[in-house]
Amino acid sequence: MAAAAVVFYLGISQRELIASLHGISDQPLFFAALGGLVLMALQALRWCVVMKPLLNLSYGQAYRAMMVGFTFNVLLPARGGDLLRVQYLGKRTGISRAKLLGTEIVDFWSDKWGWVAAFPVLCLLGSPPAWLFRALMLMGGLVITVGILLALMASGILRRGPRWLTNLRDGFASNHWKRLLLVETVIAPLPWLWETFVIMVAGHALGLNLSPMQAFAALTAFNVATTVPSPGNAGSFEAGGTLALIAFGIPKETALAFIFLYHLTQVVPGFMGGVLVLVMEGETLFGKKSLLHLPKPTLPDVAPGAVAEPDAG
């Protein structure tokens, strides 16, 4: 819907759009598809480190879980795959879903902070447009605000309340600040910097010589646009990236064609990989066996007459 609105607003010619798809080079797009799998590997590394204090995932387990979650994000709007992953891990491990959700929120916040941390690095390679500075101010303000809220929640101020709320707070507090400092400064910027490079290479498929700042601006634009929920970010992704490239003087048909092809290179391999994980292991997301083979934690012996407190999380 968003892409159709952009096409109508900009008056993009369907004939010229199709013409821009002729004579494309396959190698840059193939690299972009492989680059998408590397990007997921970097995201899985961040997620694995953030989840480690709460759930002892190996890196391989984290990567497979990330890939399966991505598959369902393609099918469900508003990152429903991430919520499904929380449900799945809670069911398989017995850990409170609220705790897992709290840690997932910390990981999501870490990802956005990675954008803020990557921005100064890209500024060394080129001057950003004015709107990107405004995006930095907005994103930085949101990251700092959410970070303060997470810190307050983790500090134990909200000790009272329903069980799910205390479990959510425990999920926020599961990471020590030193661990988070490592994640924010070293790991979180890597996916953003890597995808910037992938976009630069992929642009050669349509003869585009994108600078690092132009690629980063497109990356920022389609990430901001995907706040409009849709399965697989279809439409909003293309709308945001196209508008960013047009602002750099790239012909509108070429810009839309490139963003569309790039989106495919990122969606198809990850989606197929998640399906392959499920098929190869012969399990469904809510099957009797664990996709990640995570044993349920051993419960301590309960003294006779004692009643275990139910988990309301």
Side-chain angles (χ1 to χ4, degrees), residues 21-184:
L21 294 173
H22 292 302
I24 61 175
S25 177
D26 296 335
Q27 290 85 354
L29 295 178
F30 180 73
F31 174 84
L34 293 179
L37 297 178
V38 175
L39 173 65
M40 195 177 299
L42 294 173
Q43 293 169 339
L45 175 62
R46 185 197 66 234
W47 184 66
C48 183
V49 173
V50 171
M51 293 291 292
K52 203 74 171 180
L54 186 64
L55 188 62
N56 190 26
L57 288 170
S58 70
Y59 178 72
Q61 292 168 336
Y63 187 77
R64 295 197 300 273
M66 181 71 68
M67 189 168 284
V68 171
F70 179 86
T71 297
F72 283 94
N73 277 335
V74 173
L75 300 174
L76 302 173
R79 300 190 68 86
D82 292 347
L83 296 178
L84 208 57
R85 185 172 59 204
V86 169
Q87 165 68 15
Y88 169 72
L89 291 174
K91 185 179 181 67
R92 297 270 55 92
T93 64
I95 296 176
S96 164
R97 292 160 179 80
K99 287 183 182 180
L100 291 168
L101 180 61
T103 312
E104 285 278 353
I105 293 173
V106 172
D107 177 67
F108 185 77
W109 174 77
S110 299
D111 176 51
K112 303 314 170 192
W113 180 257
W115 181 90
V116 176
F119 184 80
V121 178
L122 272 300
C123 286
L124 298 176
L125 304 175
S127 299
W131 69 265
L132 200 53
F133 273 117
R134 292 193 291 270
L136 172 66
M137 297 299 294
L138 176 62
M139 182 72 76
L142 289 174
V143 166
I144 291 173
T145 301
V146 173
I148 292 174
L149 290 175
L150 292 179
L152 291 175
M153 288 282 289
S155 67
I157 292 179
L158 299 177
R159 290 191 178 277
R160 294 185 178 182
R163 183 65 182 275
W164 68 264
L165 184 60
T166 57
N167 281 333
L168 186 66
R169 185 196 67 80
D170 290 343
F172 293 151
S174 61
N175 279 276
H176 191 271
W177 68 268
K178 290 182 179 179
R179 174 184 289 270
L180 283 180
L181 183 63
L182 170 67
V183 172
E184 313 311 332

Side-chain angles (χ1 to χ4, degrees), residues 61 92-93 290 292-298:
Q61 292 168 336
R92 297 270 55 92
T93 64
S290 169
L292 303 180
H293 305 297
L294 295 173
K296 289 189 176 183
T298 303

Side-chain angles (χ1 to χ4, degrees), residues 3 29 32-33 36 39 70 73-75 195 198-199 202 206 222-223 225-226 228 230-242 245 255-271:
L29 295 178
L39 173 65
F70 179 86
N73 277 335
V74 173
L75 300 174
E195 189 166 9
V198 171
I199 292 173
L206 277 77
F222 61 64
N223 271 276
T226 53
V228 179
S230 64
N233 298 321
S236 55
F237 187 104
E238 284 76 13
T242 299
L245 293 181
L256 178 57
F258 168 67
I259 293 296
F260 173 74
L261 290 174
Y262 178 74
H263 194 190
L264 286 180
T265 66
Q266 301 306 290
V267 168
V268 174
F271 178 82

